Amino acid sequence: MDLVPALEEPLNQPLKSVLGPATAKVMAEHLGLHTVGDLLHHYPRRYEERGQLTHLADLPMDEHVTVVAQVADARLHTFASSRAPRGKGQRLEVTITDGSGRLQLVFFGNGVHKPHKELLPGTRAMFAGKVSVFNRRLQLAHPAYELLRGDSEEAVETWAGALIPIYPATAKLESWKIGKAVQTVLPSAQEAVDPLPDSLRAGRGLVSLPEALLKIHRPHTKADIADARARLKWDEAFVLQVALARRRYADAQLPAIPRTPRPDGLLAAFDDRLPFTLTEGQQKVSKEIFDDLATDHPMHRLLQGEVGSGKTLVALRAMLAVVDAGGQAAMLAPTEVLAQQHHRSVTEMMGDLAQGGMLGGAEHATKVVLLTGSMGTAARRQALLDLATGEAGIVIGTHALIEDKVQFHDLGLVVVDEQHRFGVEQRDALRGKGKQPPHLLVMTATPIPRTVAMTVFGDLETSVLDQLPAGRSPIASHVVPAADKPHFLARAWERVREEVAKGHQAYVVCPRIGDEEEDPKKAGKKKAAEDEAADKRPPLAVLDVAEQLRGGPLKGLTLEVLHGRMQPDDKDAVMRRFAAGDTDVLVATTVIEVGVNVPNATVMVIMDADRFGVSQLHQLRGRVGRGSAPGLCLLVSEMPEASAARQRLNAVASTLDGFELSRIDLEQRREGDVLGQAQSGARSSLRVLAVIEDEEIIAEAREEAMALVESDPELTGLPGLRTALDALLDEEREQYLEKG
């Protein structure tokens, strides 16, 4: 008899059968909650104390908020309007206060009668609505409200004495309605099956899961909340780490062909020709990779490093080592521009070592082929033939490499560049091309804080390159406040002219292309969204900005544009001209974000810089200062000085440390974005765990998870943990983790 389903049945009950179809429908559609267990894991965002009031002074604009406050004043006004021409229109204005500030509530028409009777001065209540501005003052229009009568039995029962839970809510479902629904299902918490092993729980002094659920939803003291959160953080960290540890364990059981370089082979010949010595970091990371390649199970390694730290060189040496050992290596790039660029720089670095089978090829040479979707038929046929026969040791391409037609003679290593742009399915398809699973090296140019790496890529070993090679120049970054100080922008264009006069080149980056076809339906929607935005102006576009610069501040300089919708051959031609120094200024979208290497480019102007993310700005900035002359990056923005967007730009301007910036980025955004992006769009499982704050818990949970999986890979004695894993790894996630 299987005990597990019986144990977890109450938490698997659909909400429909407990709360009724109408409420259940809203919860499913707006909050993604379907079962009793889902609702029990929908935790309060914060708590209000009866005696204390929430801060009205710092309410966020355009967000749904719930506040607890006291009515200070209520006035009924009559007015004339098109609907009530005889002055019969009614408006109720209620002012509420919490000691920190005041907020106006407005009710119109027939909606004034009930609040007029109930919201008398001195009344305390919870109010929920969307914060808007009218006459320069914050207000809530037609908020929903729930009176807090301290004496009524139900209120005391529902709001659990002193602490009032405030839940993440929506316009359709206020916090207190969610609170009441939680009260209805809370008795089921007693049946929750505990995922943590008893020994772990006891060893760390954590409360049981039923107790944690009770305390998070109905705390009597702040200590109750702390106990509950400490326990629930461990659940999230531990279950996720067990999933990743099992994945690593399974990978370690797979067979792979060990690949060791020959002492007098291709790699040795390549190293002899390098015009510089590898940095200490590059040597250390290369050793980690070579040790992995020499084992008989597949390498799974994440190589992350600063912009320009020489990741491509490290990856190329790994590919040469595999070719030395008789295998082939494939490098997957996210765009054609990047694939062509990699192909060019790899063949340049290798010289005659890349001319295998050709006249003038060196003794240990191999063939390096390019494979992209837009290649001509003859070139494509030849490339496919070279891969199938093993003539080509290295192939560089876009996802065209994954097509069924592409056959490898003996695929030994897959290098994925800029992993976050590749779907999991794509990497999986390429890995399936080997006779046995090939080794995998994932490169990312966005430095990831250690904890995020442990949480998202916990199944990969991590190597970090944090030294810049000798000869790289410093990059100065400045914010240009175009709205407050237009003369700063004029000076920026002067700086561009000065750099060009010295024989250097410049990039100007814009968020949009500018030739978008307007679909009338979409245009209407877009217009509405833009009207809501604080700044009504659409983002600046490459084609418009290029036109203005040609006729204005950069008149007389040679200017070209580059964006993603150009034909691949045209893009390549523009990049070649820029690399050769024929073009002074390249006006581009973010297609230049990764891998573009033009050492003579020294200045970059990023228009509407506030429209880009922190890591994207850091990436873009890494395109200048790649030669011996110092680099300059100017972040142009019209956002006011006090805005969060400007603070983000100031942070980027103040440090060149990508790891530090990724921490700032993460603190400003919710982890869900980071995990969601990396986890193939699956919803983030993190509700109470904060990746940056809870570094220690994640590290400890990882150790515990690895020890557990090592001793009991099937988790035989832990039905609760297996249930929790099933919930975490819904189908989409399961596939994601299997494919890596």
Side-chain angles (χ1 to χ4, degrees):
M1 177 181 154
D2 190 354
L3 289 173
V4 179
L7 281 171
E8 50 153 1
E9 220 170 89
L11 270 67
N12 266 347
Q13 257 186 299
L15 285 172
K16 196 161 62 180
S17 61
V18 189
L19 302 175
T23 309
K25 186 170 184 246
V26 177
M27 286 198 167
E29 283 176 8
H30 293 275
L31 296 167
L33 308 175
H34 303 277
T35 65
V36 168
D38 290 345
L39 180 54
L40 285 173
H41 288 293
H42 185 72
Y43 309 131
R45 179 178 284 162
R46 57 189 172 83
Y47 302 84
E48 293 293 356
E49 289 181 70
R50 267 195 200 292
Q52 277 189 330
L53 298 165
T54 163
H55 279 286
L56 293 181
D58 29 83
L59 287 178
M61 270 296 294
D62 282 338
E63 276 192 31
H64 283 278
V65 297
T66 300
V67 297
V68 178
Q70 193 162 338
V71 177
D73 178 40
R75 295 179 186 196
L76 190 61
H77 301 276
T78 53
F79 60 91
S81 71
S82 54
R83 286 188 183 172
R86 296 206 197 99
K88 293 276 175 64
Q90 290 190 310
R91 181 175 79 245
L92 176 66
E93 289 178 4
V94 178
T95 306
I96 58 173
T97 176
D98 67 350
S100 78
R102 295 166 89 81
L103 179 66
Q104 184 143 38
L105 316 176
V106 287
F107 301 88
F108 291 101
N110 295 336
V112 304
H113 305 307
K114 187 167 175 265
H116 191 217
K117 284 205 296 266
E118 293 182 334
L119 297 179
L120 304 170
T123 308
R124 301 200 53 237
M126 299 171 77
F127 302 91
K130 192 174 181 184
V131 183
S132 58
V133 171
F134 181 71
N135 275 349
R136 294 192 157 184
R137 286 165 65 191
L138 292 184
Q139 70 168 27
L140 298 181
H142 281 287
Y145 63 88
E146 177 92 346
L147 300 180
L148 292 176
R149 303 184 179 93
D151 51 10
S152 112
E153 196 55 44
E154 190 198 354
V156 174
E157 189 60 24
T158 309
W159 305 119
L163 292 160
I164 301 170
I166 305 288
Y167 289 89
T170 71
K172 295 261 189 285
L173 206 60
E174 292 90 13
S175 168
W176 55 84
K177 287 185 181 160
I178 296 170
K180 284 180 175 170
V182 169
Q183 296 307 321
T184 309
V185 301
L186 205 49
S188 306
Q190 296 302 338
E191 314 290 336
V193 190
D194 208 316
L196 295 191
D198 293 344
S199 56
L200 189 157
R201 211 177 72 217
R204 298 193 176 269
L206 300 168
V207 300
S208 69
L209 180 57
E211 192 181 335
L213 290 172
L214 215 58
K215 283 183 166 177
I216 197 131
H217 290 295
R218 291 189 56 177
H220 292 289
T221 63
K222 288 188 174 164
D224 283 352
I225 300 170
D227 285 351
R229 288 179 69 84
R231 161 62 215 244
L232 295 166
K233 282 182 176 193
W234 255 95
D235 276 18
E236 290 182 2
F238 184 69
V239 174
L240 185 60
Q241 292 304 339
V242 168
L244 293 166
R246 287 184 80 186
R247 164 85 195 283
R248 284 173 75 137
Y249 181 84
D251 282 343
Q253 312 309 308
L254 291 172
I257 300 167
R259 312 276 180 175
T260 38
R262 300 203 308 273
D264 57 347
L266 181 59
L267 177 64
F270 175 77
D271 282 351
D272 285 347
R273 298 163 175 225
L274 276 180
F276 49 82
T277 51
L278 297 176
T279 65
E280 234 174 274
Q282 286 172 324
Q283 287 172 3
K284 177 175 136 295
V285 168
S286 290
K287 183 182 182 314
E288 291 169 352
I289 292 171
F290 291 155
D291 289 350
D292 279 0
L293 290 173
T295 61
D296 54 9
H297 56 83
M299 162 172 85
H300 283 105
R301 193 166 276 282
L302 174 70
L303 171 59
Q304 54 165 334
E306 274 299 358
V307 181
S309 57
K311 289 182 296 293
T312 313
L313 177 62
V314 168
L316 175 57
R317 292 184 74 242
M319 296 199 288
L320 297 176
V322 169
V323 174
D324 255 354
Q328 292 169 294
M331 185 186 231
L332 218 54
T335 63
E336 293 213 350
V337 166
L338 204 51
Q340 286 161 341
Q341 186 105 19
H342 276 316
H343 181 254
R344 207 158 40 234
S345 61
V346 163
T347 47
E348 277 167 14
M349 281 199 265
M350 286 175 66
D352 58 3
L353 292 172
Q355 294 169 1
M358 291 183 239
L359 220 58
E363 182 194 347
H364 298 290
T366 185
K367 216 172 189 184
V368 180
V369 299
L370 176 70
L371 192 62
T372 62
S374 63
M375 278 168 76
T377 319
R380 187 180 173 76
R381 195 176 295 130
Q382 185 59 50
L384 290 171
L385 187 66
D386 289 342
L387 287 179
T389 58
E391 184 85 9
I394 294 177
V395 59
I396 296 168
T398 53
H399 45 246
L401 278 179
I402 299 163
E403 291 172 13
D404 294 342
K405 293 194 197 80
V406 182
Q407 297 298 325
F408 288 87
H409 178 64
D410 177 14
L411 181 61
L413 170 67
V414 174
V415 178
V416 178
D417 185 18
E418 277 304 295
Q419 184 267 347
H420 64 269
R421 302 199 177 184
F422 261 131
V424 174
E425 293 74 18
Q426 295 169 313
R427 280 188 293 164
D428 184 44
L430 189 57
R431 267 166 56 182
K433 300 243 177 226
K435 295 193 175 76
Q436 286 195 342
H439 298 282
L440 174 71
L441 181 65
V442 174
M443 295 199 295
T444 170
T446 307
I448 306 168
R450 173 173 159 268
T451 36
V452 180
M454 282 190 325
T455 313
V456 179
F457 302 107
D459 58 310
L460 300 178
E461 297 292 341
T462 307
S463 294
V464 177
L465 278 174
D466 45 15
Q467 261 178 309
L468 287 187
R472 285 297 300 258
S473 304
I475 305 171
S477 307
H478 302 287
V479 178
V480 177
D484 315 346
K485 299 181 176 163
H487 60 285
F488 277 35
L489 183 57
R491 176 73 190 114
W493 300 126
E494 278 173 27
R495 282 293 289 117
V496 171
R497 296 190 83 98
E498 285 164 16
E499 286 299 309
V500 172
K502 288 182 200 163
H504 297 307
Q505 291 159 281
Y507 295 102
V508 176
V509 181
C510 305
R512 211 159 56 93
I513 297 174
D515 63 352
E516 290 84 351
E517 291 286 311
E518 274 294 0
D519 173 350
K521 283 185 198 161
K522 278 189 192 158
K525 274 190 196 160
K526 210 149 105 197
K527 182 128 186 56
E530 274 164 16
D531 286 346
E532 270 187 31
D535 44 351
K536 299 282 195 290
R537 174 173 72 64
L540 290 170
V542 166
L543 301 176
D544 307 340
V545 169
E547 207 47 48
Q548 288 164 11
L549 292 176
R550 273 196 192 104
L554 301 185
K555 199 171 180 176
L557 303 186
T558 53
L559 228 82
E560 288 212 67
V561 299
L562 180 71
H563 57 74
R565 277 215 289 277
M566 289 164 61
Q567 289 300 316
D569 290 352
D570 297 343
K571 279 192 245 183
D572 202 38
V574 168
M575 268 323 296
R576 277 175 190 274
R577 285 195 292 273
F578 190 64
D582 302 339
T583 310
D584 298 325
V585 181
L586 187 62
V587 184
T589 55
T590 53
V591 289
I592 59 155
E593 182 184 345
V594 280
V596 173
N597 187 22
V598 180
N600 191 43
T602 54
V603 60
M604 175 178 285
V605 182
I606 303 179
M607 307 302 291
D608 278 346
D610 47 272
R611 310 262 183 167
F612 299 97
V614 169
S615 57
Q616 210 174 17
L617 291 169
H618 183 57
Q619 279 290 351
L620 286 166
R621 167 170 68 183
R623 303 301 116 212
V624 293
R626 298 177 83 86
S628 51
L632 173 66
C633 177
L634 301 172
L635 307 166
V636 180
S637 170
E638 293 187 355
M639 295 304 274
E641 194 158 353
S643 63
R646 269 286 282 283
Q647 284 162 7
R648 217 170 54 226
L649 295 181
N650 292 340
V652 175
S654 68
T655 177
L656 288 171
D657 180 342
F659 287 92
E660 180 53 34
L661 284 173
S662 63
R663 286 183 77 95
I664 292 170
D665 195 18
L666 199 57
E667 280 160 7
Q668 289 192 344
R669 291 161 40 203
R670 296 204 348 270
E671 282 95 3
D673 305 349
V674 177
L675 295 179
Q677 177 186 33
Q679 299 198 353
S680 157
R683 64 190 166 78
S684 164
S685 59
L686 304 191
R687 296 185 178 93
V688 282
L689 194 71
V691 175
I692 292 287
E693 259 168 56
D694 299 319
E695 235 162 320
E696 278 173 31
I697 295 178
I698 292 169
E700 288 170 20
R702 180 181 173 144
E703 275 172 37
E704 294 268 11
M706 280 161 72
L708 174 71
V709 170
E710 204 60 46
S711 62
D712 178 10
E714 293 306 311
L715 312 176
T716 40
L718 296 163
L721 180 54
R722 293 216 305 273
T723 304
L725 279 171
D726 292 342
L728 172 76
L729 307 175
D730 48 37
E731 267 174 65
E732 177 181 20
R733 273 261 185 73
E734 185 67 83
Q735 289 171 355
Y736 172 80
L737 284 174
E738 272 175 10
K739 292 174 179 174

